[in-house]
Amino acid sequence: MLNTIVITNVDSLLGYAIAYKFVSDWNRQSTGAVTEFRLLCHERQGLQELEKLGGKIIEMQKFDDEKEMSHIMKNVDYVIYVPEYSNDRIQEGELVIRTAKQEGVGYLTMLSYLGLENLKKSASNNLHQFHKLEKKVSEHFDDDSYCIIRTALFNQFFFYFGPMIDDENEIRLPVDKKSRWGTIDLSDLAEAVYLLSEPTTDDKQQQQQQEAKKENQTLFRLTPRDNYTAQDLVEYASKGLELEENMTYKKIDSEKMYNYLHRIHQDNRFRERPVFLFDQQQDPASTFPLGRYLNDNFIQTIIEYWELANHDGLDITCKDLENILGRHPYHLKKFFEMNRDQFRRLR
């Protein structure tokens, strides 16, 4: 039984989705004592739902106060470390990892990016920092006490391209048309982290999970079953959104991509999470990408990630996600089909 769990960077797209999954389901499904959730962020704006569900929001302007971080890590059993999107990522990450070890945290999971083993093919400062932090985790924790989860980009990131699709009937990315890469559903990712953290009561999934835990697996790679090209992407979007005209694809340079996402950062359509309607098929509000997530460092990191695709560094598939979930992951085409109304709202 885990008495206290820390989740970092909950004011990011990935951190919020994981935190929401844990605080909404963990204690409700547990038969033991109530688990305390300490949720770390830079700004508590938009995190009220996590508080309503019982999470303790801890706001820190910078994760550089060792005394405060040590206090946060006291009596903590488990840390889910989602690295920051800031210029101080290394210093902040090292402090989280170091204090977690010093305070006796039993297990640490770090979220990272797919393809980091291929970084030699691409000059990517931010992705190199993620790789460096992975090594810091392995230096501080033994092989039974940590895991790294490298993940593909999320389907939900394409919500940011709703205005582009409506205005231009086109998707524009800094990725070669023939490069193969893929995305996974953010709900699948949050569920996978959850299932790796606590066995499910479903007999089949529990058996699969116990098999995976016979020896601690220190590296997971969460990918779709099959990767796709830009042409596949626009075909999935055109059919899934039931567009009258088929979309086209255009490769753009990194500067134009940065400028587009920077404008979305301020776009009112991405200011609040949408209302979730239980009688409709759509993604949960917890996985919707807000404009505030698109700070400069996050945009730069994603552009570096796409540059890795141009060097064939992201054409990776494995069955880790499928094995953890006990089912096929949601397909990108399904994402567009389920969220037609959301894309209409973003016009």
Side-chain angles (χ1 to χ4, degrees):
M1 179 63 196
L2 303 179
N3 295 315
T4 307
I5 297 175
V6 166
I7 305 176
T8 71
N9 199 14
V10 300
D11 49 345
S12 66
L13 175 58
L14 175 57
Y16 185 90
I18 291 174
Y20 189 91
K21 174 65 177 176
F22 273 75
V23 298
S24 60
D25 287 357
W26 188 280
N27 285 322
R28 183 168 53 83
Q29 295 179 355
S30 174
T31 57
V34 172
T35 296
E36 176 188 355
F37 286 95
R38 301 175 187 171
L39 309 178
L40 276 58
C41 66
H42 285 303
E43 294 184 10
R44 63 192 308 121
Q45 180 185 5
L47 304 181
Q48 298 88 342
E49 193 65 27
L50 298 181
E51 284 189 294
K52 290 178 183 177
L53 291 167
K56 180 182 179 182
I57 306 298
I58 302 174
E59 188 177 48
M60 301 177 70
Q61 290 303 311
K62 289 183 69 175
F63 295 167
D64 60 357
D65 187 328
E66 184 154 359
K67 184 177 179 180
E68 184 178 4
M69 188 63 73
S70 294
H71 179 72
I72 290 169
M73 294 295 175
K74 279 192 181 300
N75 303 316
V76 170
D77 300 291
Y78 179 35
V79 170
I80 300 174
Y81 170 46
V82 181
E84 296 295 314
Y85 288 100
S86 76
N87 295 328
D88 299 315
R89 179 185 295 121
I90 292 292
Q91 297 92 322
E92 293 179 331
E94 288 178 344
L95 183 59
V96 169
I97 296 163
R98 185 175 66 252
T99 55
K101 179 61 177 178
Q102 289 172 349
E103 294 299 328
V105 168
Y107 199 94
L108 185 144
T109 293
M110 176 183 166
L111 279 297
S112 190
Y113 279 96
L114 192 68
L116 296 190
E117 68 273 22
N118 299 320
L119 279 177
K120 58 187 178 183
K121 302 177 182 178
S122 175
S124 305
N125 179 58
N126 289 290
L127 293 184
H128 275 294
Q129 289 181 1
F130 276 83
H131 203 197
K132 183 176 180 179
L133 288 168
E134 288 185 358
K135 293 178 180 177
K136 289 292 181 182
V137 171
S138 65
E139 290 169 4
H140 283 79
F141 288 83
D142 62 45
D143 287 351
D144 292 325
S145 302
Y146 82 92
C147 73
I148 307 294
I149 299 178
R150 289 181 179 171
T151 175
L153 192 63
F154 322 125
N155 296 339
Q156 285 74 10
F157 197 84
F158 291 117
F159 276 128
Y160 287 135
F161 292 83
M164 178 188 290
I165 291 171
D166 187 59
D167 293 342
E168 309 293 341
N169 198 38
E170 192 167 61
I171 292 180
R172 300 171 182 174
L173 296 171
V175 182
D176 293 335
K177 192 172 185 177
K178 294 183 179 180
S179 294
R180 296 191 66 83
W181 53 294
T183 54
I184 63 172
D185 196 271
L186 185 51
S187 293
D188 280 348
L189 171 54
E191 183 178 350
V193 176
Y194 185 89
L195 291 174
L196 287 173
S197 305
E198 181 78 350
T200 174
T201 56
D202 179 87
D203 291 340
K204 182 179 178 181
Q205 288 186 353
Q206 187 171 3
Q207 182 179 359
Q208 291 172 327
Q209 188 174 355
Q210 287 173 345
E211 286 293 320
K213 283 192 171 185
K214 283 182 178 178
E215 290 187 9
N216 183 59
Q217 186 171 330
T218 58
L219 178 64
F220 294 89
R221 297 185 298 172
L222 305 191
T223 72
R225 299 181 72 202
D226 300 293
N227 289 322
Y228 50 76
T229 65
Q231 189 57 47
D232 296 326
L233 168 62
V234 296
E235 181 180 331
Y236 297 151
S238 294
K239 291 182 178 179
L241 298 177
E242 296 183 338
L243 300 180
E244 294 181 2
E245 297 181 19
N246 287 332
M247 266 194 298
T248 57
Y249 177 78
K250 180 179 180 181
K251 181 184 177 182
I252 58 175
D253 60 37
S254 296
E255 183 178 2
K256 289 180 180 177
M257 187 78 270
Y258 175 89
N259 290 338
Y260 174 79
L261 292 175
H262 186 70
R263 289 196 300 273
I264 295 297
H265 174 69
Q266 303 292 343
D267 195 306
N268 286 331
R269 288 168 286 191
F270 296 89
R271 192 171 297 277
E272 302 290 341
R273 295 183 183 89
V275 176
F276 181 75
L277 302 175
F278 288 95
D279 60 341
Q280 293 184 11
Q281 274 199 329
Q282 64 183 57
D283 280 359
S286 59
T287 63
F288 183 78
L290 298 176
R292 71 174 71 104
Y293 297 148
L294 290 171
N295 65 23
D296 284 353
N297 189 275
F298 182 56
I299 296 173
Q300 291 163 2
T301 302
I302 296 302
I303 289 174
E304 289 179 12
Y305 180 82
W306 278 321
E307 181 60 25
L308 195 55
N310 289 330
H311 294 274
D312 298 322
L314 295 179
D315 192 8
I316 302 166
T317 57
C318 70
K319 290 192 173 182
D320 281 351
L321 182 58
E322 184 174 339
N323 289 340
I324 296 165
L325 297 175
R327 58 171 173 80
H328 295 326
Y330 290 120
H331 195 278
L332 177 61
K333 184 179 178 182
K334 183 71 173 178
F335 161 76
F336 286 113
E337 290 174 353
M338 285 182 60
N339 292 286
R340 287 173 193 145
D341 289 341
Q342 291 289 15
F343 276 89
R344 293 188 184 105
R345 187 183 67 84
L346 295 173
R347 289 176 177 174

